[in-house]
């Protein structure tokens, strides 16, 4: 009986190791999986393309107080980025020379209201949501406005403001996505 348990244990370890190696291999060749509701849930691929408005990016949050608070509150996860933050995936809603206005009804880029961008005053636990210090600004050539495009609860640029282009690690494109992502849940 002990020999059988030992063989099963070894088999489980081998299977786990193979799965980990496959996952590592898939990551190394460009596969990225989004499980949050900010952008469509599913499989994305890292591509060597320039950052463009309307495209998706994966970025490391900068080491500033708003992201520390977001991690403490569970809006974002921990991970391999500087400061121990996890990567975030968002849609590029604004870029160089775009005018951004954040009002009570939502975010406008060059006067056009972005759907599902109305800032929340409080999170689901009745804590006040952070606000970027300026409600109106023009993006420099080094800045991006990153928003979730499916979930009104997304923790995104309406709360933390512009992100430096240097924070972007990859441009990603959807390969296979699914689901109704605009209801409740995770803030990321």
């Amino acid at each position: 009986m002990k020999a059988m348990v030992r063989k099963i244990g070894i088999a489980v370890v081998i299977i786990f190791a193979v799965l980990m190696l496959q996952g590592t291999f898939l990551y190394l060749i460009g596969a990225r999986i989004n499980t949050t509701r900010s952008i469509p849930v599913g499989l994305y691929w890292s591509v060597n393309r320039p950052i463009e408005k309307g495209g998706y990016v994966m970025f490391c949050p900068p080491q500033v107080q708003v992201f520390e608070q977001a991690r403490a509150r569970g809006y974002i996860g921990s991970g391999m980025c500087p400061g121990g933050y996890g990567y975030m995936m968002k849609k590029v809603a604004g870029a160089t020379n775009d005018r951004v206005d954040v009002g009570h009804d939502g975010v406008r880029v060059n006067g056009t209201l972005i759907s599902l961008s109305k800032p929340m005053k409080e999170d689901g636990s009745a804590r006040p949501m952070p606000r970027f210090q300026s409600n109106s600004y023009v993006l420099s050539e080094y800045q991006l406005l990153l928003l979730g495009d499916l979930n009104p609860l997304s923790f995104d640029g309406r709360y933390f403001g512009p992100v430096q282009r240097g924070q972007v690690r990859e441009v990603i494109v959807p390969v296979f996505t699914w689901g109704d992502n605009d209801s409740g849940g995770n803030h990321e």
Side-chain angles (χ1 to χ4, degrees):
M1 184 68 169
K2 286 184 180 183
M4 176 72 112
V5 170
R6 184 175 177 189
K7 286 180 183 179
I8 291 172
I10 291 171
V12 167
V13 169
I14 290 171
I15 290 169
F16 181 74
V18 168
L19 290 174
M20 290 300 292
L21 287 174
Q22 283 180 329
T24 301
F25 175 72
L26 289 174
Y27 186 86
L28 289 174
I29 63 171
R32 305 293 181 259
I33 296 179
N34 175 48
T35 60
T36 72
R37 296 179 179 181
S38 287
I39 64 174
V41 172
L43 176 64
Y44 289 75
W45 205 260
S46 173
V47 294
N48 186 16
R49 292 185 190 164
I51 299 168
E52 296 179 348
K53 275 177 61 171
Y56 294 109
V57 295
M58 189 167 88
F59 73 102
C60 279
Q63 294 180 63
V64 295
Q65 178 60 32
V66 69
F67 287 104
E68 191 60 38
Q69 180 183 54
R71 184 174 55 188
R73 290 181 173 188
Y75 303 163
I76 64 174
S78 297
M80 302 300 291
C81 291
Y85 304 126
Y87 290 112
M88 294 177 71
M89 296 178 181
K90 300 291 180 196
K91 187 173 194 173
V92 179
T96 305
N97 293 324
D98 283 339
R99 179 172 188 76
V100 178
D101 295 293
V102 182
H104 67 281
D105 60 340
V107 177
R108 284 184 166 69
V109 176
N110 299 324
T112 302
L113 182 63
I114 306 296
S115 66
L116 303 174
S117 68
K118 180 179 179 179
M120 298 183 316
K121 291 180 181 169
E122 306 179 322
D123 67 11
S125 298
R127 298 173 292 202
M129 290 297 291
R131 287 299 292 253
F132 185 62
Q133 68 266 18
S134 176
N135 288 335
S136 185
Y137 52 92
V138 175
L139 296 167
S140 78
E141 65 184 296
Y142 305 107
Q143 296 176 315
L144 300 168
L145 174 65
L146 303 177
L147 298 175
D149 64 346
L150 292 175
N151 185 350
L153 301 179
S154 178
F155 180 70
D156 56 26
R158 63 195 138 158
Y159 305 110
F160 54 75
V163 169
Q164 298 296 312
R165 284 179 179 265
Q167 299 296 130
V168 172
R169 296 297 178 246
E170 304 177 328
V171 173
I172 54 175
V173 295
V175 174
F176 180 74
T177 61
W178 62 89
D180 176 5
N181 298 318
D182 63 350
S183 59
N186 181 325
H187 279 270
E188 188 184 334

